[in-house]
Amino acid sequence: MATGTLKHRLVGHRGGQYYGVLSVAFSPDGKTLASSGNETLRLWDVATSTEKYILQGHLSGSNSVAFSPDGKTLATSGGSDSTIRLWDVTTGTQKHILQLQWDDYVHSVAFSPDGKTLASVVNGTIRLWDVATSTEKYILQSGSNSVAFSPDGKTLATSSWGNFSWQATIHLWDVATGTQKHRLEWYGDGDDSVESVAFSPDGNTLAIGGGRGVRLWDIP
């Protein structure tokens, strides 16, 4: 029976404003948890609440983590070292480094449902990568801070926060070609920012969270 009580506390990260945990993600099978912060990046065994690996590579930790759909690869974004790194979850070793320009800040990463494409938010632009070859496929200009793949992996939703005209925009992109399919736009006020996007399981509805709550849109 669920009790709503604390089950475990995973001890390893230093706490505080500068060393806290910024991102957590479960592996698809639920057996491994990844946690990242400004200092370290760690993998945990969920059943035993013990640390499996400390992943060394980013200069100052990682601010976003994402497991591939098969659970074999972990993608991590290093904000200050301008890299995206792919790790072997079984061994805790680094597989590939996706290198950007020295002043590129990587905010977040997300795998496509088939695991073949990785989306990253870099300085407000969206970059799509071919996971097998570790090469960049497209740069999508959208001034974005969040991304989400549709369940079938064919569409990528990216958000643009309101500009001086208080216009907020969601861009829907064709993943295969890197071209824009649709734009969802509305005018709000100065607080009507867009912070996150998520598709419904059937792919027909897009949820948008921001400064004025949650909006639900029918996908064209």
Side-chain angles (χ1 to χ4, degrees):
M1 171 183 280
T3 63
T5 58
L6 179 67
K7 297 175 67 175
H8 301 288
R9 185 180 180 188
L10 309 182
V11 179
H13 290 278
R14 281 199 287 170
Q17 179 180 359
Y18 300 106
Y19 299 107
V21 177
L22 300 177
S23 179
V24 291
F26 278 102
S27 60
D29 62 8
K31 295 181 179 180
T32 302
L33 181 76
S35 61
S36 66
N38 287 329
E39 181 189 18
T40 59
L41 175 65
R42 299 168 186 253
L43 291 179
W44 307 83
D45 184 290
V46 173
T48 62
S49 298
T50 57
E51 185 178 270
K52 298 172 66 175
Y53 303 110
I54 298 177
L55 307 183
Q56 304 284 356
H58 290 295
L59 295 179
S60 58
S62 172
N63 54 7
S64 178
V65 294
F67 281 95
S68 60
D70 63 8
K72 296 180 179 180
T73 302
L74 182 74
T76 63
S77 64
S80 61
D81 65 8
S82 302
T83 65
I84 299 166
R85 297 172 188 252
L86 302 180
W87 307 82
D88 186 302
V89 174
T90 302
T91 63
T93 57
Q94 190 169 265
K95 299 167 65 174
H96 301 289
I97 300 176
L98 311 181
Q99 185 68 55
L100 294 104
Q101 298 297 319
W102 67 272
D103 59 345
D104 284 335
Y105 188 91
V106 187
H107 293 267
S108 60
V109 288
F111 277 98
S112 61
D114 62 6
K116 295 181 180 180
T117 302
L118 184 74
S120 59
V121 180
V122 182
N123 292 345
T125 64
I126 305 301
R127 303 190 181 211
L128 297 184
W129 304 82
D130 184 293
V131 174
T133 62
S134 299
T135 56
E136 189 175 84
K137 298 171 63 176
Y138 306 113
I139 298 178
L140 311 179
Q141 303 290 341
S142 69
S144 182
N145 60 348
S146 60
V147 296
F149 282 96
S150 61
D152 63 9
K154 295 180 180 180
T155 302
L156 183 74
T158 66
S159 64
S160 295
W161 48 85
N163 55 26
F164 292 111
S165 63
W166 295 342
Q167 178 179 314
T169 307
I170 302 298
H171 301 265
L172 299 179
W173 306 88
D174 186 299
V175 174
T177 64
T179 57
Q180 184 173 276
K181 299 166 66 175
H182 301 286
R183 290 162 59 101
L184 311 176
E185 297 179 317
W186 67 94
Y187 286 89
D189 55 34
D191 294 328
D192 204 7
S193 61
V194 179
E195 302 298 335
S196 61
V197 291
F199 281 92
S200 61
D202 62 9
N204 294 327
T205 303
L206 188 70
I208 302 165
R212 289 295 181 180
V214 180
R215 300 169 185 263
L216 299 180
W217 290 77
D218 282 326
I219 302 299

